[in-house]
Amino acid sequence: MDTKIDLREWWSSFNRKNTYVLALIIFIIVTILYFFLQPNIFEEGILNRILTSNFRTWLPVTLLAIGQTIVMLGGGLDLSSGALVSLGNVILAISITSNEEPWFNLLIMTSVIVLGLLAGFFNGFLTAYLGLQPMITTFATSFVYSGLALLILPDPWGNIPREYTNAYRNTSWLGIPISLFVIAFILILWEIIKNRRYGRFLFAVGGKADAAYYTGVRVTNIRISTYVISGFLAALAAISYTLLTGSGSARSGEEMTLTAITAAILGGTSMAGGSGSLFGSVLGVVILGMVKNIISLVKLDSWYRVLVNAIIIIVALASPGIINLFRRNK
Amino acid sequence: MSEKIESSGKRKINLSPQVTALLLALILFLASGLLPNGFNSLETALNQAANILRLSAFLALIAAGQTLVIISGGEGIDLSAGAVVTISVLFSYRFINGDNAMVIPVMLFVVAFGALIGLVNGTGIAYLKIPPFVMTLGMAGVVTGALLVITRGLYDGKVAPIMTNVIARDLFWGIPGMLFIWIIFGVLMTILLERTRYGKQLFAIGVNRLSAHLSGVRVSRMVVTTYVLAGALAAFSGFILVGWLQNAGLLVGNQYLFPSIAAVAVGGTLLSGGKGSYIGTMAGAIVIQLITSLLTTMQLPEAIQQIVFGLILIVLLVFYGREKGLRL
């Protein structure tokens, strides 16, 4: 009897500490399903090809989801990150047209990153410093960013040198694609930061801002920093997206924002702040991507795809609640 | 009302958001008269005013359910409203099919359908603890997906003559029928919020769920009811919208979603819940609509319009959308 209660307690505390457990379970289910539908996956080179092609496509959204998670951990929300991707994407697309001046191209990429940092700071200044509500404020700034993108490039265009796009698309070390390295690098970096001062302060700010404030945490600065990080990652997402598609469009990031938020929630991050993990959000993106892949693998009638995709997402989001309901009844 | 806790030395302008929004609307409207292609006589001014009010009415109708959901707190938001409006527009268009006798049954049907979607939203949020943002976002996906399955991209139908007469044309004294509907609707919404048990409990759960629960409010049931109402109201707006547009479209409702949330915020309803009014939302809708119309009248390119809209929204929020800081 006692051990049983202990087990249950252990499970719930394990769940609380590792918010991504459910995402991990869903991820495993989805992966098994995927392998089942793609039986040739264990043949030579196939797995590598699938990893490469999937992760290079998912990298932009993954970066956004990571940025979003950090903002959400601090108790905010960033609806402008997708628009920032569009803005970065069009700037890169109109500027980088040949590979003859690598320094100039590097300069453009750097300025896109600086722009991301500035835009993020602007978001943070409005929401954290002026105390405006994050959802509507970042929605308003997203209009500004996407408007600028549309101003710069009204119609999709772009001529990114083949060398650059190929380098992004096909580079891999030890059979692991470059995009996966980027994600792994960020996750490892985060593991280090998480348990240091900044990480602990961030969780404190998101969990209970007033308590954090009274214990001397600079709540406003921490919150602003989360938006700056989100802006930075959005700029990186813009670069990777541009390298992926080789062209620019003022609408490129439009749908990414909500996907990134969904991925973060699916990964166990709380919208109220103070709980969640970057690893979970990455899992969230992978799950969303895999579900799409599976839907196309089973050759579902294309009219049903949106519906089935949405239903699967809702069921996945509902699963912790359903489990809890059953647990309570027992 | 809110000036009591201001010891940090900062001066606070004490205008209620509703009044500010209305004043702003007036200023914007007068400003629009100064444009080269603005109005130059009283008659055209009145016409323009009626026109803008009529357009604001749709935004405000769609924002009504949103107002309730946002007041209910708990990060409440209904991102499925746009999709519900769309499906309601398409259903009304298809099933009424030009027949006056079908208007009322179809209206009841679409409202019930919207309420059903709201019920699913509310159940997911209140009992399965899914955050409203993603629950309603997912629901928007489901509704849109269902729409694709049902219509396969094709739709046809017709609006009944009686709807055209009541909604789109002038009803009395040159005032469009839509405005009468809006006024009645506004009165009902205000009564609902200010004078009913539901309204009292709604504000209570918006301020603090726990204390509301301890004082005997059935919080989960209230949340579900609120999302059901929001779904029903969104569907009703779709029904009205089709009467005005005389046509349908596969994405017709979605363009109203974020402007309607902006209208709620501009109208002084706190996005964190517990404070707000429908009159504020009405004023907010007029402001948002005026800004949009103004930008259209000035014939600015789409890109500039977006940028200016975003900046104006930010300025508005800076003026009175600020939350109480941590430093008391």
Side-chain angles (χ1 to χ4, degrees):
Chain A
M1 194 75 186
D2 271 333
T3 52
K4 203 177 174 187
I5 289 171
D6 275 347
L7 252 178
R8 203 188 287 168
E9 263 174 16
W10 173 83
W11 171 245
S12 70
S13 85
F14 183 77
N15 253 327
R16 228 174 301 130
K17 270 185 212 144
N18 304 289
T19 45
Y20 55 80
V21 171
L22 196 97
L24 199 59
I25 295 170
I26 299 176
F27 167 73
I28 292 169
I29 296 172
V30 172
T31 312
I32 292 172
L33 206 61
Y34 187 74
F35 281 11
F36 181 72
L37 290 167
Q38 191 93 332
N40 63 350
I41 198 150
F42 295 109
E43 281 169 29
E44 180 88 31
I46 297 280
L47 186 65
N48 179 22
R49 206 185 304 159
I50 286 176
L51 277 182
T52 314
S53 74
N54 278 330
F55 274 96
R56 74 182 178 212
T57 319
W58 295 337
L59 183 62
V61 183
T62 310
L63 293 170
L64 283 197
I66 289 174
Q68 194 66 252
T69 310
I70 293 174
V71 174
M72 277 160 61
L73 284 176
L77 186 70
D78 187 357
L79 291 184
S80 73
S81 52
L84 212 46
V85 173
S86 311
L87 182 55
N89 175 227
V90 298
I91 293 175
L92 291 166
I94 59 158
S95 312
I96 300 180
T97 48
S98 82
N99 57 351
E100 278 159 23
E101 293 166 274
W103 290 109
F104 172 75
N105 292 343
L106 200 64
L107 182 75
I108 295 293
M109 289 194 196
T110 320
S111 40
V112 165
I113 289 177
V114 171
L115 182 77
L117 294 170
L118 286 176
F121 178 78
F122 184 54
N123 284 334
F125 174 78
L126 291 173
T127 53
Y129 186 77
L130 292 183
L132 304 182
Q133 284 151 339
M135 188 193 292
I136 192 76
T137 311
T138 53
F139 167 63
T141 57
S142 82
F143 260 82
V144 178
Y145 305 148
S146 62
L148 284 172
L150 200 59
L151 193 64
I152 294 171
L153 191 68
D155 297 307
W157 185 83
N159 193 14
I160 305 291
R162 186 70 55 83
E163 287 81 1
Y164 291 177
T165 53
N166 278 343
Y168 172 73
R169 287 177 193 161
N170 301 328
T171 307
S172 63
W173 295 303
L174 309 167
I176 298 168
I178 183 171
S179 44
L180 208 49
F181 271 108
V182 175
I183 298 170
F185 175 74
I186 295 175
L187 287 181
I188 291 167
L189 192 68
W190 179 248
E191 277 310 306
I192 298 166
I193 296 173
K194 196 173 76 179
N195 296 316
R196 298 181 151 246
R197 219 168 79 130
Y198 179 79
R200 288 207 309 273
F201 280 7
L202 176 63
F203 278 91
V205 166
K208 226 167 173 27
D210 44 355
Y213 179 78
Y214 289 126
T215 47
V217 178
R218 290 170 181 266
V219 174
T220 311
N221 290 359
I222 297 272
R223 283 204 169 138
I224 291 178
S225 76
T226 61
Y227 287 96
V228 174
I229 294 173
S230 173
F232 171 71
L233 288 169
L236 288 190
I239 293 173
S240 63
Y241 184 83
T242 313
L243 292 176
L244 174 73
T245 60
S247 68
S249 152
R251 298 178 157 267
S252 54
E254 216 169 56
E255 286 180 0
M256 288 187 199
T257 317
L258 296 177
T259 313
I261 294 174
T262 311
I265 306 271
L266 206 54
T269 301
S270 143
M271 276 197 116
S275 122
S277 68
L278 297 199
F279 179 61
S281 304
V282 174
L283 282 181
V285 175
V286 174
I287 292 169
L288 292 179
M290 294 269 257
V291 167
K292 271 205 169 142
N293 283 348
I294 290 173
I295 289 177
S296 67
L297 272 181
V298 297
K299 298 197 173 57
L300 193 68
D301 179 0
S302 64
W303 291 109
Y304 284 87
R305 287 190 184 173
V306 178
L307 180 65
V308 172
N309 194 21
I311 289 177
I312 292 174
I313 292 171
I314 287 194
V315 171
L317 290 167
S319 45
I322 295 172
I323 294 168
N324 276 340
L325 277 189
F326 279 118
R327 222 186 261 163
R328 206 189 305 161
N329 288 346
K330 246 193 270 175
Chain B
M1 247 167 81
S2 57
E3 74 268 46
K4 53 190 177 188
I5 318 170
E6 279 299 314
S7 55
S8 59
K10 265 184 268 173
R11 200 164 54 87
K12 191 165 181 180
I13 311 157
N14 276 311
L15 267 179
S16 80
Q18 293 94 308
V19 178
T20 323
L22 274 177
L23 279 178
L24 198 75
L26 205 62
I27 295 168
L28 278 173
F29 181 66
L30 292 177
S32 73
L34 298 175
L35 291 175
N37 46 1
F39 44 82
N40 40 27
S41 72
L42 189 65
E43 199 180 334
T44 46
L46 283 177
N47 271 337
Q48 197 138 335
N51 204 16
I52 283 174
L53 283 178
R54 183 158 46 177
L55 289 170
S56 322
F58 293 111
L59 198 52
L61 281 188
I62 294 165
Q66 203 68 257
T67 312
L68 297 180
V69 167
I70 289 175
I71 290 176
S72 81
E75 304 152 30
I77 187 118
D78 186 1
L79 298 183
S80 67
V84 174
V85 168
T86 307
I87 204 165
S88 158
V89 162
L90 283 164
F91 278 0
S92 306
Y93 196 61
R94 176 76 195 83
F95 295 134
I96 290 177
N97 213 358
D99 186 358
N100 276 343
M102 287 299 284
V103 170
I104 297 293
V106 169
M107 185 188 86
L108 294 176
F109 167 72
V110 294
V111 167
F113 192 79
L116 184 72
I117 295 170
L119 182 69
V120 180
N121 277 335
T123 312
I125 290 158
Y127 294 106
L128 300 179
K129 312 283 178 218
I130 306 171
F133 193 97
V134 283
M135 177 70 216
T136 54
L137 180 64
M139 194 41 109
V142 171
V143 174
T144 310
L147 213 54
L148 286 176
V149 172
I150 298 168
T151 64
R152 311 217 159 202
L154 303 169
Y155 58 89
D156 71 332
K158 203 172 185 306
V159 172
I162 190 168
M163 288 175 76
T164 315
N165 285 331
V166 173
I167 298 166
R169 301 250 171 85
D170 293 350
L171 205 56
F172 311 107
W173 318 297
I175 299 172
M178 182 59 219
L179 285 188
F180 288 101
I181 297 175
W182 191 25
I183 291 166
I184 296 166
F185 190 78
V187 171
L188 290 177
M189 278 294 291
T190 307
I191 291 173
L192 178 72
L193 281 173
E194 309 290 335
R195 290 281 176 271
T196 62
R197 212 173 90 128
Y198 169 80
K200 293 244 167 5
Q201 297 195 346
L202 183 69
F203 283 104
I205 66 167
V207 173
N208 190 329
R209 294 252 158 119
L210 184 63
S211 57
H213 172 71
L214 293 175
S215 28
V217 179
R218 294 182 156 183
V219 176
S220 298
R221 225 171 56 173
M222 275 298 293
V223 172
V224 175
T225 315
T226 306
Y227 281 91
V228 169
L229 274 176
L233 287 172
F236 178 70
S237 331
F239 171 78
I240 298 288
L241 186 64
V242 78
W244 159 247
L245 291 177
Q246 305 283 310
N247 204 336
L250 282 173
L251 287 166
V252 67
N254 303 40
Q255 55 185 325
Y256 289 97
L257 176 63
F258 273 106
S260 78
I261 298 171
V264 175
V266 169
T269 297
L270 277 188
L271 288 194
S272 46
K275 197 178 158 213
S277 66
Y278 187 63
I279 298 184
T281 300
M282 290 168 94
I286 298 175
V287 172
I288 298 289
Q289 187 55 52
L290 263 172
I291 296 171
T292 319
S293 306
L294 210 61
L295 292 173
T296 320
T297 329
M298 287 164 85
Q299 289 170 329
L300 296 172
E302 168 75 22
I304 306 275
Q305 285 193 31
Q306 280 194 22
I307 298 170
V308 176
F309 181 80
L311 290 176
I312 292 178
L313 197 54
I314 294 170
V315 172
L316 284 179
L317 292 167
V318 169
F319 266 108
Y320 55 84
R322 294 174 64 171
E323 285 171 342
K324 200 176 61 185
L326 290 166
R327 221 170 314 182
L328 291 183

